[in-house]
DNA sequence: ATAACTTGGTCTCAATCGCAACCAATTGCG
DNA sequence: CGCAATTGGTTGCGATTGAGACCAAGTTAT
């Protein structure tokens, strides 16, 4: 019985690795530049982005579900944002356990300033792809997200 | 002078976010299942994978460059792997600063066991894509990696 | 040759993170 | 009703991490 040849794995071709590496690059490209300026980090930004999408109060739990971020992380991020005066906490009328979150005017201002910068940065990163390729990327991400049972983009 | 409408950003459509979320899912899917069994974590796995690709001693620095992992993290991962008996450290002949790393027989055995499991897992994850779509994904990842100046897969 | 600089690697430190325990409010069930 | 189970959120704790100080070895310039 001869020894079977070892199966090799090229890390650089291994999708989980490639995704992690690329995701880290995306984060660096964004966080480094703009977020430090407003005293916020990625978890804070996720809360901000979730609250900024609609002008309605949202519960912390909603943010958790939306962003797949651990609730302790969300809780702490909300704490920072409240301290910074970007977010206001309020009790929910119907369920007094829930903490309803809303952007303050100051928070909305930061959001309004941050969004164009981040979108521009995203644009710069994706500019290496043709329009067709971008559509492909969207489609592939959709399928992968669906297969992981991640919350999809509604509209 | 009228107030301009706030530009909105849908987090779920924002590529940096999507990449990060998906990357986390990939990691969970792999790490949870197999790696705990061998007492190794993601940084350790990266070292193992780098050393396993060719049967030649490599320096820690090589692993750093290859995986874009911080050198302190690599250093610690190597420490664990040595403790576990999966990796052997040796001085380089020509440059006595370098630490040459090599898989031990035990390390090669673990590698040989782990690789098929991980590849099977990757396969399961990507099975939601058609062959065409997989080719597209490869191509898109290539382009993005190139634009980030990441080390590419040679062959 | 020696001083200044660079490079490979380890280690200390502060910050971050996720888990899980915890509290409070709500819901469900006997 | 009243007690268990569940849910929303906070917090303490241990583990992990990256930045950067540090040491040792090698390189370069004069």
């Amino acid at each position: 019985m001869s020894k079977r040849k070892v199966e090799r794995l090229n890390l650089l071709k291994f999708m989980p690795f490639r995704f992690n590496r690329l995701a880290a690059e995306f984060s660096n490209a964004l966080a480094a530049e703009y977020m430090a300026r407003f005293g916020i980090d990625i978890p804070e930004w996720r809360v901000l982005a979730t609250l900024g999408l609609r002008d309605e109060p949202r519960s912390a739990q909603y943010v958790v579900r939306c962003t797949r971020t651990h609730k302790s992380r969300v809780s702490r991020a909300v704490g920072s944002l409240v301290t910074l005066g970007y977010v206001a906490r309020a009790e929910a009328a119907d369920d007094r356990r829930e903490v309803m979150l809303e952007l303050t005017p100051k928070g909305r201002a930061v959001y309004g300033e941050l969004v164009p910068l981040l979108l521009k940065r995203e644009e710069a990163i994706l500019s290496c792809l043709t329009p067709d390729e971008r559509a492909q990327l969207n489609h592939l991400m959709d399928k992968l997200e669906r297969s992981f049972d991640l919350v999809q983009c509604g509209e």
Side-chain angles (χ1 to χ4, degrees), chain A residues 10-30:
Chain A
N10 188 337
L11 206 51
L12 299 178
K13 284 183 171 182
F14 192 51
M15 262 322 151
F17 173 74
R18 297 175 77 180
F19 263 85
N20 268 285
R21 207 170 49 147
L22 222 36
E25 293 297 322
F26 270 99
S27 290
N28 285 349
L30 300 187

Side-chain angles (χ1 to χ4, degrees), chain A residues 39 75-89 104 106:
Chain A
S75 173
R76 281 187 264 253
V78 169
S80 311
L81 291 170
V82 169
T83 302
L84 288 168
Y86 297 167
V87 164
R89 261 195 265 243
T104 62
K106 196 169 155 192

Side-chain angles (χ1 to χ4, degrees), chain A residues 101-112:
Chain A
L101 304 169
E102 201 172 11
L103 292 186
T104 62
K106 196 169 155 192
R108 257 191 295 280
V110 168
Y111 180 84

Side-chain angles (χ1 to χ4, degrees), chain A residues 30-93:
Chain A
L30 300 187
E33 202 146 347
Y34 303 124
M35 293 183 174
R37 236 176 56 203
F38 299 99
I40 66 176
D41 205 344
I42 292 174
E44 282 85 19
W45 154 246
R46 290 186 174 180
V47 174
L48 218 62
T50 307
L51 298 180
L53 197 55
R54 308 231 167 276
D55 291 325
E56 299 158 14
R58 297 292 195 179
S59 74
Q61 193 56 38
Y62 177 81
V63 178
V64 167
R65 275 192 304 267
C66 234
T67 63
R68 277 230 169 165
T69 305
H70 195 275
K71 62 182 183 167
S72 63
R73 226 167 143 187
V74 170
S75 173
R76 281 187 264 253
V78 169
S80 311
L81 291 170
V82 169
T83 302
L84 288 168
Y86 297 167
V87 164
R89 261 195 265 243
E91 247 183 20

Side-chain angles (χ1 to χ4, degrees), chain A residues 123-134:
Chain A
E123 169 56 32
I125 292 170
L126 297 181
S127 69
C128 69
L129 304 180
T130 68
D132 265 6
E133 288 171 336
R134 290 194 203 196

